[in-house]
């Protein structure tokens, strides 16, 4: 048997987790998930079974324990996208996997670390969501860090319509924003720009300014700030060469948005001030250089 390449192994993991995410969206019981896993793994991820002793009893025991562990690690749609801990079983209780054996003679015999380490399993669940259903995530108890990571992956794959469907609801309403939403902000800005909708970005920045929200603590690099600032420079040029009231009004709005965008990166005041000075001097090249330095 030829050894499987790392890339093939990773693809098998992706395939299995994608199917697992879709499966939990049907809200199965632990026993149903175990049965699904036992049937699916030999076909979808044979490389996993190649790592254990090839006897029917050992394979079945491994699959049952692995299935219960994965089921416990996956955020469950019917539990507010939180993980469901496995129940503590006594040694003589029936095993949760549905084998009919006592726990001590079944999954209790095998201790297994998490199969998929620190992978973001929420992404595989949300991959199975329709765009319409993604609006539910903001009102769930899903981990903000995992939502942010999911959005960044989708953005990298060009799935910006899904990013927007996922993240827009977090910024809806009129109340103050929680600082924990910071990881979501720049990805939403990037996806709006990728979709050719800079106006939505500008409106959100203006709304945040009017709402008086405390500055969000975003990453140190200034991608969103730079985009907003350069847009402001373009608007200033429009003002210079057109001098009409529409341009003046739009420029004023852009300046406010840019000031807010700069305030979002207050953690690096020195860089923010240098960018602002460069913009006031109309030197967009210098602004780029400062941010990218």
């Amino acid at each position: 048997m030829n050894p499987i390449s790392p890339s093939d192994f990773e693809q098998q993991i992706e395939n299995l987790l994608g199917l697992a995410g879709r499966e939990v969206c049907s809200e199965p019981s632990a026993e149903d998930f175990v049965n699904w896993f036992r049937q699916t793994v030999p076909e979808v991820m044979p490389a996993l079974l190649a790592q254990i002793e090839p006897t029917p009893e050992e394979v079945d025991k491994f699959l049952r324990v692995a299935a219960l562990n994965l089921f416990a690690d996956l955020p469950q749609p019917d539990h507010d996208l939180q993980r469901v801990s496995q129940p503590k079983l006594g040694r003589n209780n029936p095993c949760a996997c549905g084998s009919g054996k006592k726990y001590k003679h079944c999954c209790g015999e095998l201790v297994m670390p998490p199969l998929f380490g620190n992978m973001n399993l929420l992404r595989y669940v949300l991959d199975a969501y329709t765009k319409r259903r993604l609006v539910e995530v903001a009102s769930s108890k899903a981990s903000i860090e995992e939502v942010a990571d999911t959005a960044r992956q989708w953005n990298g794959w060009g799935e910006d319509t899904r990013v927007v469907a996922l993240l827009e609801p977090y910024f809806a309403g009129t109340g103050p924003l929680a600082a924990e939403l910071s990881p979501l902000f720049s990805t939403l800005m990037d996806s709006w720009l990728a979709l050719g909708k800079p106006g939505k970005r500008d409106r959100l920045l203006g709304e945040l300014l009017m709402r008086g929200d405390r500055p969000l603590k975003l990453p140190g690099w200034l991608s969103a700030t730079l985009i907003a600032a350069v847009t402001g420079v373009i608007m200033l040029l429009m003002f210079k060469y057109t001098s009409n009231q529409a341009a003046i009004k739009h420029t004023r709005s852009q300046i406010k948005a840019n000031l807010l965008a700069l305030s979002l990166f207050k953690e690096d005041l020195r860089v923010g001030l240098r960018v602002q000075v460069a913009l006031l001097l109309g030197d967009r090249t210098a602004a780029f250089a400062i941010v990218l330095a």
Side-chain angles (χ1 to χ4, degrees):
M1 182 178 183
N2 295 327
I4 188 169
S5 69
S7 60
D8 288 341
F9 188 77
E10 291 173 4
Q11 187 58 55
Q12 288 187 21
I13 291 176
E14 283 291 310
N15 294 342
L16 176 63
L17 292 180
L19 292 172
R22 187 181 306 169
E23 182 67 17
V24 297
C25 286
S26 67
E27 302 179 5
S29 65
E31 184 176 342
D32 289 340
F33 187 83
V34 169
N35 290 332
W36 169 84
F37 191 86
R38 291 169 61 215
Q39 296 171 7
T40 303
V41 168
E43 179 180 350
V44 175
M45 196 175 178
L48 184 62
L49 300 183
Q51 311 301 314
I52 64 175
E53 187 177 337
T55 64
E57 183 177 351
E58 290 300 316
V59 168
D60 190 60
K61 184 185 298 183
F62 173 84
L63 288 175
R64 289 179 181 277
V65 175
L68 284 177
N69 284 358
L70 178 57
F71 187 70
D73 288 338
L74 282 165
Q76 304 285 328
D78 58 338
H79 284 77
D80 232 5
L81 289 175
Q82 293 188 304
R83 291 158 179 79
V84 180
S85 300
Q86 296 186 52
K88 298 290 184 182
L89 296 177
R91 289 174 52 78
N92 292 315
N93 289 129
C95 190
C97 73
S99 65
K101 298 179 181 179
K102 292 182 178 180
Y103 178 65
K104 65 182 180 182
H105 296 313
C106 190
C107 296
E109 292 184 337
L110 184 60
V111 178
M112 184 184 299
L115 278 177
F116 304 103
N118 296 320
M119 293 181 68
N120 173 18
L121 298 182
L122 176 66
R123 195 262 290 175
Y124 299 95
V125 177
L126 297 186
D127 279 345
Y129 274 33
T130 63
K131 282 194 293 184
R132 180 173 297 181
R133 191 178 183 185
L134 286 173
V135 302
E136 302 172 6
V137 180
S139 58
S140 75
K141 296 180 181 178
S143 161
I144 293 296
E145 291 75 15
E146 292 178 355
V147 171
D149 180 68
T150 298
R152 283 191 293 268
Q153 291 188 58
W154 287 353
N155 175 254
W157 300 332
E159 297 183 13
D160 292 290
T161 57
R162 291 182 64 79
V163 173
V164 169
L166 175 63
L167 299 187
E168 269 189 333
Y170 281 96
F171 298 92
T174 57
L177 296 177
E180 66 179 6
L181 298 183
S182 297
L184 310 181
F185 188 85
S186 60
T187 304
L188 178 59
M189 299 294 103
D190 291 341
S191 288
W192 272 337
L193 289 171
L195 293 172
K197 298 180 178 179
K200 284 199 168 188
R201 177 211 62 188
D202 296 339
R203 281 193 294 274
L204 176 58
L205 287 170
E207 288 172 9
L208 296 182
L209 183 65
M210 295 300 294
R211 284 157 58 174
D213 292 328
R214 292 174 298 173
L216 301 176
K217 294 182 179 179
L218 295 181
W221 67 291
L222 307 183
S223 60
T225 303
L226 180 59
I227 293 166
V230 170
T231 304
V233 172
I234 295 173
M235 293 303 102
L236 287 171
L237 291 174
M238 286 174 56
F239 167 78
K240 178 179 179 181
Y241 291 109
T242 62
S243 297
N244 61 59
Q245 292 302 309
I248 292 172
K249 182 178 179 181
H250 195 49
T251 299
R252 185 182 298 115
S253 174
Q254 287 294 328
I255 291 173
K256 289 181 179 179
N258 294 339
L259 289 174
L260 174 64
L262 285 169
S263 75
L264 294 175
F265 298 92
K266 65 176 184 177
E267 292 175 282
D268 196 339
L269 182 60
R270 180 179 59 84
V271 172
L273 288 174
R274 290 175 63 197
V275 172
Q276 188 69 3
V277 168
L279 292 173
L280 289 173
L281 295 175
D283 192 342
R284 285 174 288 169
T285 303
F288 272 104
I290 292 168
V291 172
L292 298 177

